[in-house]
Amino acid sequence: MSNATHPAAHAPGRDTLRGSAELIEAEEATLAHNYHPLPVVVARAEGVWVEDVEGRRYLDMLAGYSALNFGHRHPVLIETAHRQLDRLTLTSRAFRNDRLAGFAEDLARLTGLEATLPMNTGAEAVESGIKLARKWAYDVKGVPRDQATIVVAADNFHGRTTTIVGFSSDPLAREGFGPFTPGFRVVPYNDLPALEAAVDETTAAVLIEPIQGEAGVIIPDDGYLTGVRDVTRRWGALFVADEIQSGLGRTGTTLAVEHESVRPDVVLLGKALGGGIVPVSAVLAGREVMNVLHPGEHGSTFGGNPLAAAVGSAVVGLLADGHYQRRAAELGEVLDAGLAALVGQGVLRYRCRGLWAGVDLDPALGTGREVSERLLGEGVLVKDTHGSTIRLAPPLTITREELEWALAALAKVIG
Ligand SMILES: *Cc1c(COP(=O)(O)O)cnc(C)c1O
């Protein structure tokens, strides 16, 4: 249908004239229904605050699932992006660009892993990590061709591609999307004996989240990550840590594995790496692992583009002096104390590390969705995960006063 004949024809500036209700209706009519967003239509944002099309303000306590660790439109990141937009945005990897080497050097300093494979989305980083681990298993470990296995944890979330949902344990993510890629073994999370039993000479890698985000911010027992490191080392398998949501300052350290001083062989980054501006992800590995990839064996048109690399470097720059990690740790204590005070007052239990919490609410108060809608009415944006669990993950730029205000709003809607 041409615009001329369509009654809702899009004209420049038109969206500023349509109200929330009209825009929601238009979205439902035109978009795939693979999401069920809260009924708020955001038009602008700065720092931890967003504003909807009617001018109502909300405190963003989700931060784009940690893609906005530095808040909306952090001035350093926006300035970097503007400068890069004025100079060079895309070359493809057919040619080199003057931003990529610096980005990889920055990531190597940040993670201690010297080689970078740049991609765009988190799921792509996970897919790339899987391919890297399999290639390494055949070329270096000597696993017979097509026999490599990868051990993953139940209740994982690693993205939405067909290979990745194939080893999800969430029926909603899987059902209707088979047949799936073979070669994965699923074991319970935080269960070292089960992991031990699943790892053998065919194991290319153990792929886990150091803290399971989508599952409800599930923090494994102390010693679990160290145990994963021991088992993988003993069997000559790679430890692949998916830090796409847990990494880049969220938990009070640059990477969540630092809480146990564990060094994985492969680290996957995404979300906050793009500064809330562009999708940027990366696979980090030691040189001898990364060297199993040769020209033509893997790639991405947009991976490592100069705009992404410039923004990614600026993100690493923000983490360089430890300021945001310290903020996450210090304000994490405020969050923890605030949630502790609500246990028995509508909160059944919660898990918190840094500025990241999964809060299990008394189901009698309604679903996580219903509580999220009530918080929306109080000017606080959160997201439910499963059932009666909500997740809190504000930008690391939030102030103590703002955090306490959000906690008071939570207390009010569940009280
Ligand atoms: C979000 C997420 C992904 C997938 O990232 P996308 O950019 O949405 O593809 C993978 N792993 C973890 C742990 C995540 O939180």
Side-chain angles (χ1 to χ4, degrees):
M1 197 184 304
S2 79
N3 275 356
T5 60
H6 196 292
H10 181 92
R14 166 139 185 127
D15 282 346
T16 60
L17 302 175
R18 289 200 275 183
S20 291
E22 215 185 321
L23 286 167
I24 290 171
E25 205 176 302
E27 276 201 4
E28 291 302 308
T30 53
L31 287 168
H33 294 165
N34 58 325
Y35 278 95
H36 181 33
L38 287 172
V40 55
V41 183
V42 176
R44 50 188 66 79
E46 188 162 349
V48 300
W49 294 93
V50 306
E51 195 180 308
D52 72 7
V53 291
E54 279 83 20
R56 288 180 289 251
R57 275 162 47 92
Y58 304 86
L59 181 58
D60 186 351
M61 289 289 288
L62 177 66
Y65 304 90
S66 290
L68 290 157
N69 276 4
F70 309 98
H72 294 265
R73 301 173 48 253
H74 188 290
V76 168
L77 303 178
I78 292 294
E79 166 69 18
T80 300
H82 275 301
R83 266 189 279 120
Q84 194 59 40
L85 281 170
D86 286 338
R87 198 154 67 71
L88 178 73
T89 56
L90 189 72
T91 55
S92 86
R93 296 290 302 280
F95 316 116
R96 296 183 190 265
N97 75 68
D98 68 350
R99 284 291 184 188
L100 191 47
F103 179 41
E105 286 164 353
D106 290 339
L107 285 173
R109 259 193 305 276
L110 191 80
T111 64
L113 293 163
E114 68 244 65
T116 293
L117 171 59
M119 299 298 288
N120 310 284
T121 66
E124 285 179 316
V126 174
E127 286 277 348
S128 304
I130 290 166
K131 288 176 72 177
L132 182 69
R134 286 180 166 181
K135 194 77 165 36
W136 174 86
Y138 301 129
D139 292 3
V140 177
K141 183 170 175 174
V143 174
R145 197 59 70 190
D146 293 341
Q147 299 301 305
T149 55
I150 293 178
V151 179
V152 299
D155 302 322
N156 67 71
F157 184 84
H158 296 291
R160 298 294 197 171
T161 65
T162 39
T163 289
I164 293 170
V165 299
F167 58 83
S168 168
S169 51
D170 177 359
L172 272 180
R174 287 171 61 84
E175 272 166 28
F177 301 114
F180 299 121
T181 312
F184 295 93
R185 292 179 184 167
V186 185
V187 298
Y189 190 62
N190 194 25
D191 183 339
L192 283 172
L195 180 76
E196 186 95 60
V199 172
D200 62 22
E201 61 285 345
T202 68
T203 308
V206 174
L207 164 65
I208 55 154
E209 300 156 84
I211 292 175
Q212 290 189 320
E214 299 297 311
V217 191
I218 307 298
I219 303 170
D221 296 338
D222 274 350
Y224 178 65
L225 300 175
T226 309
V228 173
R229 179 68 283 184
D230 290 345
V231 172
T232 47
R233 190 166 283 137
R234 214 163 342 107
W235 284 96
L238 301 176
F239 178 178
V240 182
D242 181 346
E243 293 259 14
I244 289 165
Q245 196 166 159
S246 58
L248 304 177
R250 172 57 54 193
T251 67
T253 50
T254 300
L255 299 179
V257 289
E258 289 169 46
H259 290 280
E260 287 193 34
S261 305
V262 161
R263 290 177 48 88
D265 303 292
V266 179
V267 169
L268 311 177
L269 296 177
K271 291 203 164 100
L273 194 56
I277 300 174
V278 279
V280 185
S281 69
V283 180
L284 282 304
R287 187 32 82 192
E288 72 290 355
V289 172
M290 199 64 92
N291 275 357
V292 303
L293 292 179
H294 305 106
E297 292 172 350
H298 190 61
S300 162
T301 302
F302 291 95
N305 73 74
L307 180 60
V311 171
S313 276
V315 164
V316 175
L318 290 180
L319 290 164
D321 68 359
H323 168 75
Y324 287 105
Q325 295 90 320
R326 270 194 304 280
R327 271 190 86 82
E330 285 165 16
L331 290 173
E333 286 175 26
V334 175
L335 178 59
D336 197 337
L339 292 172
L342 296 177
V343 172
Q345 320 278 325
V347 170
L348 292 183
R349 68 191 90 74
Y350 70 96
R351 300 152 296 278
C352 181
R353 178 149 294 166
L355 273 175
W356 201 18
V359 184
D360 300 341
L361 300 165
D362 182 346
L365 295 166
T367 61
R369 169 79 186 194
E370 286 160 351
V371 172
S372 300
E373 286 177 0
R374 273 181 253 150
L375 274 170
L376 179 68
E378 297 297 319
V380 176
L381 300 185
V382 302
K383 175 76 174 76
D384 53 301
T385 53
H386 302 279
S388 294
T389 301
I390 58 169
R391 165 183 22 192
L392 305 176
L396 311 183
T397 55
I398 195 170
T399 65
R400 185 186 175 118
E401 290 69 33
E402 289 163 337
L403 184 57
E404 284 172 344
W405 184 78
L407 284 162
L410 176 62
K412 181 177 170 194
V413 303
I414 64 177

